[in-house]
Amino acid sequence: MPASPSTARAINDRLALRLLQQEGPLTAGQLKQLTGLSRPTVADLVERLTAAGLIAVVGEAGEQRRGPNAKVYGIVADRAHLAALDVRTEGVSVTVADLVGRVLAEASVPIGGDMATGPAVEQAVALVERVVKEAGADRLHTVGIGAPGLIDPASGELRDSSGLPEWHRRLVAALQERLPEARVSAENETNLAALAEQRDGAARDRDTFVLLWLGHGTGAAVVLDGALRRGASGGTGEIGFLPVPGTTTLPSATDCEGGFHGLAASAAVVDLAAEHGVPAEPGQEPSTVGVVRAAVGVVRAAVGQVRGVEGGRSRSEGGDEVLVRPASAAPAARFLDALADRLAVGVASVVAILDPGCVVLGGEVGQAGGEELAGRVQDRIARMTPLPTEVRTTTLGGDAVLRGALLTARDRAQEELFTPGERPVQRW
């Protein structure tokens, strides 16, 4: 059935707004060209959107025609302000942005594990309020929160999870109470990182992929046919509980140490590096990121040195060309090989069930490992499964959670503000 006039207007309005969001400021002529709508229809929608306070003239552009320059229209960026939070076990980071996603202010604060729940929540909420003030925003329209743990798909609340601070669960309610006009929602951190990688990162050309989060803990996010999959209880991707060979026991409902977590979480990786004689970066305490980055640096430097002197390759007895590494790089290379062995166990399990075609090694550790680690994992996967799988390294690293939270908050705000109907002209 043909659309009613009001429905047609709503569709045209949303199309124009999406184009302005994606392309930036445009003239009415450019909107006509991109939408395929008639000149009178474009003039009508520009008038409606301007009256609604959603777009405004932001400049002029000379066109190849006689007469005055064409007006350039853009989305009114301060029509709404958004906040994104990355909540970790040891602290919280906050970003405040405008409606088009331009970051206005950001800050982080550590929250010690020995801090009581009430003071921890107050410190996190106070940080949000401070960053909002620094951004020059009067109020927030939407707040997106990324946190570890399970998000109940029915209620949207962070479920009680063993090993995670109590202040995480209290934070959402506290923010909603202090920011009553804002729309506050939480999402699993790995899911948000996957959305960011899909929109702006390593998976921009994939509509099906899995993100393996490597940081303090482990997690996975599953995107199939362009849609994020959360599962019946919100637990899709809880790969830390995956039973795998190489651990001394099995995971339990309250403890994932016997699962993949026991092989790839931060403590296990630091211990693995120590076993292979790989120290942290000079002057730094041993950490997962530190030991992985140090190992990658040693291997890359050694390969570069050999390539510069001898071309970096020799022939094996069978005639195959092999890469030559100095003996000084051997411990670092063996550590990266051993880490890739561990990661490949989890990746192969995911590939066998989902056949995603692409796995992104995400988080700070995935970023630190770079192509050195991703290439090793891909080599092992190629030997472990007949299913072709590309292993990529993150392009966003640990920032992916904040980026995903901001993208989600912006989408939700725009979904509401761009909805057809009476739009009160007010600023958030």
Side-chain angles (χ1 to χ4, degrees):
M1 294 179 62
S4 66
S6 61
T7 301
R9 286 194 295 269
I11 293 172
N12 293 340
D13 288 358
R14 292 176 72 87
L15 175 59
L17 287 165
R18 292 301 177 189
L19 286 170
L20 289 169
Q21 173 190 318
Q22 296 165 7
E23 305 293 334
L26 299 168
T27 65
Q30 290 170 325
L31 281 171
K32 174 182 178 298
Q33 182 179 7
L34 291 170
T35 61
L37 299 172
S38 67
R39 188 175 299 277
T41 300
V42 170
D44 286 344
L45 73 84
V46 166
E47 183 178 354
R48 283 195 303 273
L49 296 176
T50 301
L54 290 175
I55 68 173
V57 176
V58 296
E60 293 184 346
E63 293 187 342
Q64 295 179 352
R65 61 179 178 81
R66 295 179 179 178
N69 291 338
K71 295 178 180 179
V72 177
Y73 297 92
I75 292 176
V76 178
D78 63 354
R79 178 71 169 78
H81 289 99
L82 323 166
L85 280 72
D86 180 4
V87 178
R88 303 290 179 97
T89 55
E90 70 281 1
V92 60
S93 298
V94 177
T95 292
V96 172
D98 60 24
L99 187 58
V100 297
R102 183 174 63 246
V103 174
L104 304 175
E106 54 190 345
S108 301
V109 65
I111 297 178
D114 57 348
M115 184 176 292
T117 299
V121 171
E122 178 58 32
Q123 189 167 355
V125 173
L127 177 67
V128 174
E129 294 175 333
R130 175 166 66 83
V131 178
V132 169
K133 184 176 181 180
E134 291 174 355
D138 294 330
R139 64 186 77 180
L140 292 175
H141 182 282
T142 307
V143 179
I145 302 172
L150 299 177
I151 305 295
D152 189 310
S155 66
E157 295 181 353
L158 186 64
R159 293 170 54 185
D160 187 15
S161 300
S162 60
L164 295 177
E166 173 65 21
W167 65 268
H168 283 194
R169 296 184 64 236
R170 295 273 300 278
L171 179 58
V172 176
L175 281 171
Q176 191 65 81
E177 181 179 349
R178 293 273 277 272
L179 305 169
E181 295 176 322
R183 292 83 170 144
V184 181
S185 61
E187 177 60 271
N188 174 268
E189 59 177 357
T190 308
N191 287 344
L192 290 177
L195 292 175
E197 294 286 0
Q198 183 185 31
R199 295 269 287 272
D200 297 331
R204 280 175 292 182
D205 61 336
R206 310 290 302 209
D207 61 0
T208 294
F209 71 98
V210 169
L211 172 73
L212 179 61
W213 181 265
L214 302 171
H216 178 75
T218 59
V222 177
V223 177
L224 301 178
D225 299 323
L228 180 68
R229 307 296 179 175
R230 295 178 175 83
S233 63
T236 295
E238 287 296 315
I239 197 171
F241 287 90
L242 179 71
V244 292
T247 59
T248 58
T249 184
L250 290 173
S252 69
T254 58
D255 189 358
C256 59
E257 281 299 326
F260 182 66
H261 176 91
L263 294 182
S266 58
V269 175
V270 170
D271 289 344
L272 183 66
E275 291 174 13
H276 288 83
V278 176
E281 292 176 299
Q284 301 291 325
E285 289 293 323
S287 68
T288 318
V289 174
V291 296
V292 172
R293 185 183 290 131
V296 168
V298 169
V299 169
R300 286 177 177 170
V303 170
Q305 177 185 1
V306 171
R307 283 177 175 162
V309 176
E310 305 172 0
R313 295 188 177 276
S314 66
R315 296 285 175 179
S316 67
E317 293 182 1
D320 296 327
E321 193 178 39
V322 296
L323 184 64
V324 178
R325 290 192 180 95
S328 60
R334 284 196 295 268
F335 162 64
L336 292 176
D337 287 339
L339 178 57
D341 288 340
R342 292 185 174 193
L343 298 181
V345 171
V347 172
S349 300
V350 169
V351 169
I353 301 237
L354 298 175
D355 185 21
C358 177
V359 175
V360 177
L361 303 185
E364 296 92 344
V365 176
Q367 185 177 42
E371 295 301 329
E372 289 289 341
L373 183 58
R376 283 169 162 80
V377 175
Q378 179 157 339
D379 289 344
R380 285 153 177 78
I381 295 302
R383 297 194 297 266
M384 296 172 70
T385 174
L387 305 177
T389 305
E390 183 180 2
V391 180
R392 299 179 178 180
T393 184
T394 174
T395 59
L396 302 176
D399 294 335
V401 177
L402 260 182
R403 181 63 182 161
L406 183 57
L407 286 169
T408 301
R410 190 180 73 178
D411 287 348
R412 287 172 177 161
Q414 290 180 345
E415 182 69 24
E416 177 178 326
L417 294 171
F418 294 178
T419 297
E422 295 297 324
R423 302 182 181 94
V425 181
Q426 60 184 33
R427 298 191 183 278
W428 296 91

